[in-house]
Amino acid sequence: MVNPMKSLIETFYTAFQKRAAATMISCYHNDIVFHDPVFGELKGDDVKAMWTMLCQNAKGLKIEFSEIQASLKKGSVHW
């Protein structure tokens, strides 16, 4: 049986590797609340704008990920 949370994490980080902001954004709920030390707390469309900006401007960014752990309600990944 495919774990949907694991698939979601794989989709998100594979898109991050390709700097595919639209795919990354599609992984979030519309009411997302995101906290980051650099950007602070962002909600909804501000999260989408952050990923779009980062993907457009991070030309030398290289993302690798591994060690996906996932239940049906939460997950984690080393990146």
Coordinates of all heavy atoms in Angstrom, one line a residue:
M1 N 0.8 -1.2 0.0 CA 0.0 0.0 0.0 C 0.9 1.2 0.0 O 1.8 1.3 0.7 CB -0.9 0.0 1.2 CG -1.8 1.1 1.3 SD -3.0 0.9 2.7 CE -3.1 2.6 3.3
V2 N 0.6 2.2 -0.8 CA 1.3 3.4 -0.9 C 0.9 4.4 0.2 O -0.3 4.6 0.4 CB 1.0 4.1 -2.3 CG1 1.7 5.5 -2.4 CG2 1.5 3.2 -3.4
N3 N 1.9 4.9 0.9 CA 1.7 5.9 2.0 C 1.5 7.2 1.3 O 2.5 7.8 0.8 CB 2.8 5.8 2.9 CG 2.6 6.8 4.1 OD1 2.2 7.9 3.9 ND2 3.0 6.3 5.3
P4 N 0.3 7.9 1.4 CA 0.1 9.2 0.8 C 1.0 10.3 1.3 O 1.4 11.2 0.6 CB -1.3 9.5 1.0 CG -1.8 8.6 2.1 CD -0.9 7.4 2.1
M5 N 1.4 10.2 2.6 CA 2.3 11.2 3.2 C 3.7 11.1 2.6 O 4.3 12.1 2.3 CB 2.3 11.1 4.7 CG 3.1 12.2 5.4 SD 2.6 13.9 5.1 CE 1.1 13.9 6.0
K6 N 4.1 9.9 2.5 CA 5.5 9.6 1.9 C 5.5 10.1 0.4 O 6.4 10.8 0.0 CB 5.8 8.2 2.0 CG 7.2 7.9 1.4 CD 7.6 6.4 1.6 CE 9.0 6.3 1.0 NZ 9.5 4.9 1.0
S7 N 4.4 9.8 -0.3 CA 4.3 10.3 -1.7 C 4.3 11.8 -1.8 O 5.0 12.4 -2.7 CB 3.1 9.7 -2.3 OG 3.1 8.3 -2.4
L8 N 3.6 12.4 -0.9 CA 3.6 13.9 -0.8 C 5.0 14.5 -0.6 O 5.4 15.4 -1.2 CB 2.6 14.4 0.2 CG 2.4 15.9 0.4 CD1 1.8 16.5 -0.9 CD2 1.5 16.2 1.6
I9 N 5.7 13.9 0.4 CA 7.0 14.4 0.7 C 8.0 14.2 -0.5 O 8.7 15.1 -0.9 CB 7.6 13.7 2.0 CG1 6.8 14.1 3.2 CG2 9.1 13.9 2.1 CD1 7.1 13.2 4.4
E10 N 7.9 13.1 -1.1 CA 8.7 12.8 -2.3 C 8.4 13.8 -3.4 O 9.3 14.3 -4.1 CB 8.5 11.4 -2.8 CG 9.1 10.3 -1.9 CD 8.8 8.9 -2.3 OE1 7.8 8.7 -3.0 OE2 9.5 8.0 -1.8
T11 N 7.1 14.0 -3.7 CA 6.7 15.0 -4.7 C 7.2 16.4 -4.4 O 7.8 17.0 -5.3 CB 5.1 15.0 -4.8 OG1 4.6 13.8 -5.2 CG2 4.7 16.1 -5.8
F12 N 7.1 16.8 -3.2 CA 7.6 18.2 -2.8 C 9.1 18.3 -3.0 O 9.5 19.2 -3.6 CB 7.2 18.5 -1.3 CG 7.6 19.8 -0.9 CD1 6.8 20.9 -1.1 CD2 8.9 20.0 -0.3 CE1 7.2 22.2 -0.7 CE2 9.3 21.3 0.1 CZ 8.4 22.4 -0.1
Y13 N 9.8 17.4 -2.5 CA 11.3 17.5 -2.6 C 11.8 17.3 -3.9 O 12.9 17.8 -4.3 CB 12.0 16.7 -1.5 CG 11.9 17.4 -0.1 CD1 10.9 17.2 0.8 CD2 12.8 18.4 0.2 CE1 10.8 17.9 1.9 CE2 12.7 19.2 1.3 CZ 11.7 18.9 2.2 OH 11.6 19.6 3.4
T14 N 11.2 16.4 -4.7 CA 11.6 16.2 -6.1 C 11.3 17.5 -6.9 O 12.2 18.0 -7.7 CB 10.8 15.1 -6.7 OG1 11.2 13.9 -6.0 CG2 11.2 14.9 -8.2
A15 N 10.2 18.2 -6.6 CA 9.9 19.5 -7.2 C 10.9 20.5 -6.8 O 11.4 21.4 -7.6 CB 8.5 19.9 -6.9
F16 N 11.3 20.5 -5.5 CA 12.3 21.4 -5.0 C 13.6 21.3 -5.7 O 14.3 22.2 -6.1 CB 12.5 21.2 -3.5 CG 13.0 22.3 -2.7 CD1 13.4 23.5 -3.3 CD2 13.2 22.2 -1.3 CE1 13.9 24.6 -2.5 CE2 13.8 23.2 -0.6 CZ 14.1 24.4 -1.1
Q17 N 14.0 20.0 -6.0 CA 15.2 19.8 -6.7 C 15.2 20.4 -8.1 O 16.2 20.9 -8.6 CB 15.5 18.2 -6.9 CG 15.9 17.5 -5.7 CD 16.0 16.0 -5.9 OE1 15.2 15.4 -6.6 NE2 17.0 15.4 -5.2
K18 N 14.0 20.4 -8.7 CA 13.8 21.0 -10.0 C 13.4 22.4 -10.0 O 13.2 23.0 -11.1 CB 12.7 20.2 -10.8 CG 13.1 18.7 -11.0 CD 11.9 18.0 -11.6 CE 12.2 16.5 -11.7 NZ 11.1 15.7 -12.2
R19 N 13.3 23.0 -8.8 CA 12.9 24.4 -8.6 C 11.5 24.6 -9.3 O 11.3 25.6 -10.0 CB 13.9 25.4 -9.1 CG 15.2 25.4 -8.2 CD 16.1 26.5 -8.5 NE 16.6 26.5 -9.9 CZ 17.6 25.8 -10.4 NH1 18.3 25.0 -9.6 NH2 18.0 25.9 -11.6
A20 N 10.6 23.6 -9.1 CA 9.3 23.7 -9.7 C 8.3 24.2 -8.7 O 7.6 23.4 -8.0 CB 8.9 22.3 -10.2
A21 N 8.3 25.5 -8.5 CA 7.5 26.1 -7.4 C 6.0 25.7 -7.5 O 5.4 25.5 -6.5 CB 7.6 27.6 -7.5
A22 N 5.4 25.7 -8.7 CA 4.0 25.3 -8.8 C 3.7 24.0 -8.2 O 2.7 23.8 -7.5 CB 3.5 25.4 -10.3
T23 N 4.5 23.0 -8.5 CA 4.3 21.7 -7.9 C 4.5 21.7 -6.4 O 3.7 21.1 -5.7 CB 5.3 20.6 -8.6 OG1 5.1 20.6 -10.0 CG2 5.1 19.2 -8.0
M24 N 5.5 22.4 -5.9 CA 5.7 22.5 -4.5 C 4.5 23.1 -3.8 O 4.0 22.6 -2.8 CB 7.0 23.4 -4.2 CG 8.3 22.7 -4.7 SD 9.6 23.9 -4.6 CE 9.8 24.1 -2.8
I25 N 4.0 24.2 -4.4 CA 2.8 24.9 -3.8 C 1.6 24.0 -3.8 O 0.8 24.0 -2.9 CB 2.6 26.2 -4.6 CG1 3.7 27.2 -4.4 CG2 1.2 26.7 -4.3 CD1 3.7 28.3 -5.4
S26 N 1.5 23.1 -4.8 CA 0.3 22.2 -4.8 C 0.3 21.2 -3.7 O -0.7 20.6 -3.4 CB 0.3 21.5 -6.2 OG 1.3 20.5 -6.3
C27 N 1.4 21.1 -3.0 CA 1.5 20.1 -1.9 C 1.0 20.7 -0.6 O 0.8 20.0 0.4 CB 3.0 19.7 -1.7 SG 3.7 18.7 -3.0
Y28 N 0.7 22.0 -0.6 CA 0.3 22.7 0.6 C -1.3 22.9 0.6 O -1.9 23.1 -0.4 CB 0.9 24.1 0.7 CG 2.3 24.1 1.2 CD1 3.3 24.3 0.3 CD2 2.7 23.9 2.5 CE1 4.7 24.4 0.7 CE2 4.0 23.9 2.9 CZ 5.0 24.2 2.0 OH 6.3 24.2 2.4
H29 N -1.8 22.9 1.8 CA -3.2 23.2 2.0 C -3.3 24.7 1.9 O -2.4 25.5 2.2 CB -3.6 22.8 3.5 CG -5.1 23.0 3.7 ND1 -5.6 24.2 4.1 CD2 -6.1 22.1 3.7 CE1 -6.9 24.0 4.2 NE2 -7.2 22.7 4.0
N30 N -4.5 25.2 1.4 CA -4.6 26.7 1.3 C -4.5 27.5 2.5 O -4.1 28.6 2.5 CB -6.0 27.0 0.7 CG -6.1 26.6 -0.8 OD1 -5.1 26.6 -1.5 ND2 -7.3 26.3 -1.2
D31 N -4.7 26.9 3.7 CA -4.6 27.5 5.0 C -3.3 27.3 5.7 O -3.2 27.3 6.9 CB -5.8 27.1 5.9 CG -7.1 27.5 5.4 OD1 -7.2 28.6 4.7 OD2 -8.1 26.8 5.6
I32 N -2.2 27.0 4.9 CA -0.9 26.7 5.5 C -0.4 27.8 6.3 O -0.6 29.0 6.0 CB 0.1 26.4 4.3 CG1 1.5 26.0 4.9 CG2 0.2 27.5 3.4 CD1 1.6 24.7 5.6
V33 N 0.2 27.5 7.4 CA 1.0 28.4 8.3 C 2.4 27.8 8.3 O 2.6 26.7 8.7 CB 0.4 28.5 9.7 CG1 1.3 29.4 10.5 CG2 -1.0 29.0 9.7
F34 N 3.4 28.6 7.8 CA 4.7 28.2 7.7 C 5.6 29.1 8.5 O 5.5 30.3 8.5 CB 5.1 28.3 6.2 CG 6.5 27.9 5.8 CD1 6.7 26.6 5.4 CD2 7.5 28.8 5.8 CE1 8.0 26.2 5.0 CE2 8.8 28.4 5.4 CZ 9.0 27.1 5.1
H35 N 6.5 28.5 9.2 CA 7.5 29.3 10.1 C 8.9 28.9 9.7 O 9.2 27.7 9.5 CB 7.3 29.0 11.5 CG 8.2 29.9 12.4 ND1 8.0 31.2 12.6 CD2 9.4 29.6 13.0 CE1 8.9 31.7 13.3 NE2 9.8 30.8 13.5
D36 N 9.7 29.9 9.4 CA 11.1 29.8 9.0 C 11.9 30.9 9.7 O 11.4 32.0 9.9 CB 11.1 30.0 7.5 CG 12.5 29.9 6.9 OD1 13.0 28.8 6.7 OD2 13.2 30.9 6.8
P37 N 13.1 30.6 10.1 CA 13.9 31.6 10.8 C 14.2 32.8 9.9 O 14.3 33.9 10.4 CB 15.2 30.9 11.1 CG 14.9 29.4 11.1 CD 13.8 29.3 10.1
V38 N 14.3 32.7 8.6 CA 14.6 33.8 7.7 C 13.3 34.6 7.4 O 13.3 35.8 7.5 CB 15.3 33.3 6.4 CG1 15.4 34.4 5.4 CG2 16.6 32.6 6.8
F39 N 12.3 33.9 7.0 CA 11.0 34.5 6.6 C 10.0 34.8 7.7 O 9.0 35.5 7.5 CB 10.4 33.7 5.5 CG 11.2 33.7 4.2 CD1 12.0 32.6 3.9 CD2 11.1 34.7 3.3 CE1 12.8 32.6 2.8 CE2 11.8 34.7 2.1 CZ 12.7 33.6 1.9
G40 N 10.2 34.2 8.9 CA 9.3 34.3 9.9 C 8.0 33.5 9.7 O 8.1 32.5 9.0
E41 N 6.9 34.0 10.2 CA 5.6 33.2 10.0 C 5.0 33.7 8.7 O 4.8 34.9 8.5 CB 4.7 33.4 11.2 CG 3.4 32.6 11.0 CD 2.5 32.7 12.2 OE1 2.9 32.1 13.2 OE2 1.5 33.4 12.1
L42 N 4.7 32.8 7.8 CA 3.9 33.1 6.6 C 2.7 32.3 6.5 O 2.7 31.2 7.0 CB 4.8 32.8 5.4 CG 6.2 33.5 5.3 CD1 6.9 33.0 4.1 CD2 6.0 35.0 5.1
K43 N 1.7 32.8 5.9 CA 0.4 32.1 5.7 C -0.1 32.2 4.3 O 0.2 33.1 3.6 CB -0.7 32.8 6.6 CG -0.4 32.7 8.1 CD -1.4 33.4 8.9 CE -1.0 33.3 10.4 NZ -2.0 34.0 11.2
G44 N -0.8 31.1 3.9 CA -1.4 31.0 2.6 C -0.6 31.5 1.4 O 0.4 30.9 1.1
D45 N -1.1 32.5 0.8 CA -0.5 33.0 -0.5 C 1.0 33.5 -0.3 O 1.8 33.5 -1.2 CB -1.3 34.1 -1.1 CG -2.6 33.6 -1.7 OD1 -2.7 32.4 -2.0 OD2 -3.5 34.4 -2.0
D46 N 1.3 34.0 1.0 CA 2.7 34.4 1.3 C 3.6 33.2 1.2 O 4.8 33.4 0.8 CB 2.7 35.1 2.6 CG 2.0 36.4 2.6 OD1 1.9 37.1 1.5 OD2 1.7 36.9 3.7
V47 N 3.2 32.0 1.6 CA 4.0 30.8 1.5 C 4.3 30.5 0.0 O 5.4 30.3 -0.4 CB 3.3 29.6 2.2 CG1 4.2 28.4 2.0 CG2 3.1 29.9 3.6
K48 N 3.2 30.6 -0.8 CA 3.3 30.4 -2.2 C 4.3 31.4 -2.9 O 5.1 31.0 -3.7 CB 2.0 30.5 -2.9 CG 1.0 29.4 -2.4 CD -0.4 29.7 -2.9 CE -1.4 28.7 -2.3 NZ -2.8 28.9 -2.8
A49 N 4.2 32.6 -2.5 CA 5.1 33.7 -3.0 C 6.5 33.4 -2.6 O 7.5 33.6 -3.4 CB 4.6 35.0 -2.6
M50 N 6.8 32.9 -1.4 CA 8.1 32.6 -1.0 C 8.8 31.6 -1.8 O 9.9 31.7 -2.3 CB 8.1 32.2 0.5 CG 9.5 31.7 1.0 SD 9.4 30.8 2.5 CE 8.6 29.3 2.0
W51 N 8.0 30.4 -2.0 CA 8.6 29.4 -2.9 C 8.8 29.8 -4.3 O 9.8 29.4 -4.9 CB 7.7 28.1 -2.8 CG 7.8 27.4 -1.5 CD1 6.8 27.1 -0.7 CD2 9.0 26.9 -0.9 NE1 7.2 26.5 0.5 CE2 8.6 26.3 0.4 CE3 10.3 26.9 -1.2 CZ2 9.5 25.7 1.2 CZ3 11.2 26.3 -0.3 CH2 10.8 25.7 0.9
T52 N 7.9 30.6 -4.8 CA 8.1 31.1 -6.2 C 9.3 31.9 -6.3 O 10.1 31.7 -7.2 CB 6.8 31.9 -6.6 OG1 5.7 31.0 -6.6 CG2 7.0 32.4 -8.0
M53 N 9.5 32.8 -5.4 CA 10.7 33.7 -5.4 C 12.0 32.9 -5.2 O 12.9 33.1 -6.0 CB 10.6 34.7 -4.2 CG 11.7 35.7 -4.2 SD 13.2 35.2 -3.2 CE 12.5 34.9 -1.6
L54 N 12.0 32.0 -4.3 CA 13.2 31.2 -4.1 C 13.5 30.3 -5.3 O 14.7 30.2 -5.7 CB 13.0 30.2 -2.9 CG 13.1 30.9 -1.5 CD1 12.7 29.9 -0.4 CD2 14.5 31.4 -1.3
C55 N 12.5 29.7 -5.9 CA 12.8 28.9 -7.1 C 13.2 29.7 -8.3 O 14.1 29.2 -9.1 CB 11.5 28.0 -7.4 SG 11.2 26.7 -6.2
Q56 N 12.7 30.9 -8.4 CA 13.1 31.7 -9.5 C 14.6 32.3 -9.4 O 15.3 32.5 -10.3 CB 12.2 32.9 -9.7 CG 10.8 32.5 -10.3 CD 9.8 33.6 -10.3 OE1 10.0 34.6 -9.7 NE2 8.7 33.4 -11.0
N57 N 15.0 32.5 -8.1 CA 16.2 33.2 -7.9 C 17.4 32.3 -7.4 O 18.5 32.8 -7.4 CB 16.0 34.3 -6.9 CG 15.1 35.4 -7.4 OD1 15.3 35.9 -8.5 ND2 14.0 35.7 -6.7
A58 N 17.1 31.1 -7.0 CA 18.2 30.2 -6.5 C 18.7 29.3 -7.6 O 18.6 28.1 -7.6 CB 17.6 29.4 -5.4
K59 N 19.4 30.0 -8.5 CA 19.9 29.2 -9.7 C 21.0 28.2 -9.3 O 21.0 27.1 -10.0 CB 20.6 30.2 -10.7 CG 19.6 31.3 -11.1 CD 18.4 30.8 -11.8 CE 17.5 31.9 -12.2 NZ 16.1 31.5 -12.5
G60 N 21.8 28.4 -8.3 CA 22.8 27.4 -8.0 C 22.4 26.4 -6.9 O 23.2 25.6 -6.4
L61 N 21.1 26.4 -6.5 CA 20.6 25.6 -5.4 C 20.6 24.1 -5.8 O 20.1 23.8 -6.8 CB 19.2 26.1 -5.0 CG 18.5 25.3 -3.9 CD1 19.3 25.6 -2.6 CD2 17.1 25.7 -3.8
K62 N 21.2 23.3 -4.9 CA 21.2 21.9 -5.1 C 20.5 21.3 -3.9 O 21.0 21.5 -2.8 CB 22.6 21.3 -5.3 CG 22.6 19.9 -5.5 CD 24.0 19.3 -5.8 CE 24.0 17.8 -6.0 NZ 25.3 17.3 -6.1
I63 N 19.5 20.5 -4.1 CA 18.7 19.9 -3.0 C 18.9 18.4 -3.1 O 18.7 17.8 -4.2 CB 17.2 20.2 -3.1 CG1 17.0 21.7 -3.0 CG2 16.4 19.5 -2.1 CD1 17.3 22.3 -1.6
E64 N 19.2 17.7 -2.0 CA 19.2 16.3 -1.9 C 18.4 15.9 -0.7 O 18.3 16.7 0.3 CB 20.6 15.8 -1.7 CG 21.5 16.1 -2.9 CD 22.9 15.5 -2.8 OE1 23.3 15.0 -1.7 OE2 23.7 15.7 -3.7
F65 N 17.7 14.8 -0.8 CA 16.9 14.4 0.4 C 16.9 12.9 0.5 O 17.2 12.2 -0.4 CB 15.4 14.9 0.2 CG 14.6 14.3 -0.9 CD1 13.8 13.3 -0.7 CD2 14.7 14.9 -2.2 CE1 13.0 12.7 -1.7 CE2 13.9 14.4 -3.2 CZ 13.1 13.3 -3.0
S66 N 16.7 12.5 1.8 CA 16.7 11.0 2.1 C 16.0 10.8 3.4 O 15.6 11.8 4.0 CB 18.2 10.5 2.2 OG 18.9 11.2 3.2
E67 N 16.0 9.6 3.8 CA 15.4 9.2 5.2 C 14.0 9.7 5.4 O 13.7 10.3 6.4 CB 16.4 9.7 6.3 CG 17.8 9.2 6.1 CD 18.7 9.8 7.2 OE1 18.3 10.0 8.3 OE2 19.9 10.0 6.8
I68 N 13.1 9.5 4.4 CA 11.7 9.9 4.6 C 11.1 8.9 5.6 O 11.2 7.7 5.5 CB 11.0 9.8 3.2 CG1 11.6 10.8 2.2 CG2 9.5 10.0 3.5 CD1 11.0 10.6 0.8
Q69 N 10.5 9.5 6.6 CA 9.7 8.8 7.6 C 8.3 9.4 7.5 O 8.1 10.6 7.4 CB 10.2 9.1 9.0 CG 11.7 8.6 9.2 CD 11.8 7.1 9.1 OE1 11.0 6.4 9.7 NE2 12.9 6.7 8.4
A70 N 7.3 8.5 7.4 CA 5.9 9.0 7.2 C 4.9 8.1 7.8 O 4.9 6.9 7.6 CB 5.6 9.2 5.7
S71 N 3.9 8.7 8.5 CA 2.7 8.0 8.9 C 1.6 8.6 8.1 O 1.9 9.3 7.1 CB 2.4 8.2 10.4 OG 2.0 9.6 10.6
L72 N 0.4 8.3 8.4 CA -0.7 8.8 7.6 C -1.0 10.3 7.9 O -1.6 11.0 7.1 CB -2.0 8.0 7.7 CG -1.9 6.6 7.2 CD1 -3.2 5.8 7.5 CD2 -1.6 6.6 5.7
K73 N -0.5 10.8 9.0 CA -0.8 12.2 9.4 C 0.4 13.1 9.5 O 0.3 14.3 9.5 CB -1.4 12.2 10.8 CG -2.8 11.5 10.8 CD -3.5 11.7 12.1 CE -4.9 11.1 12.1 NZ -5.7 11.5 13.2
K74 N 1.6 12.6 9.5 CA 2.8 13.4 9.6 C 4.0 12.7 9.0 O 4.0 11.5 8.8 CB 3.1 13.9 11.0 CG 3.5 12.8 11.9 CD 3.7 13.4 13.3 CE 4.1 12.3 14.3 NZ 4.5 12.9 15.6
G75 N 5.0 13.5 8.7 CA 6.2 12.9 8.1 C 7.4 13.8 8.3 O 7.3 15.0 8.7
S76 N 8.6 13.3 8.0 CA 9.8 14.0 8.1 C 10.8 13.5 7.0 O 10.6 12.5 6.4 CB 10.5 13.9 9.5 OG 10.8 12.5 9.7
V77 N 11.8 14.4 6.7 CA 12.8 14.0 5.7 C 14.1 14.7 6.1 O 14.1 15.8 6.6 CB 12.3 14.4 4.3 CG1 12.1 15.9 4.2 CG2 13.2 13.9 3.2
H78 N 15.2 14.1 5.8 CA 16.5 14.8 5.9 C 16.8 15.4 4.6 O 16.8 14.7 3.6 CB 17.5 13.7 6.3 CG 18.9 14.3 6.5 ND1 19.3 15.0 7.6 CD2 19.9 14.3 5.6 CE1 20.5 15.4 7.4 NE2 20.9 15.0 6.2
W79 N 17.1 16.7 4.6 CA 17.4 17.4 3.3 C 18.6 18.3 3.5 O 18.9 18.7 4.6 CB 16.2 18.0 2.7 CG 15.6 19.2 3.4 CD1 14.8 19.2 4.4 CD2 15.8 20.6 3.0 NE1 14.5 20.5 4.8 CE2 15.1 21.4 4.0 CE3 16.6 21.3 2.1 CZ2 15.1 22.8 3.9 CZ3 16.5 22.6 2.1 CH2 15.8 23.4 3.0

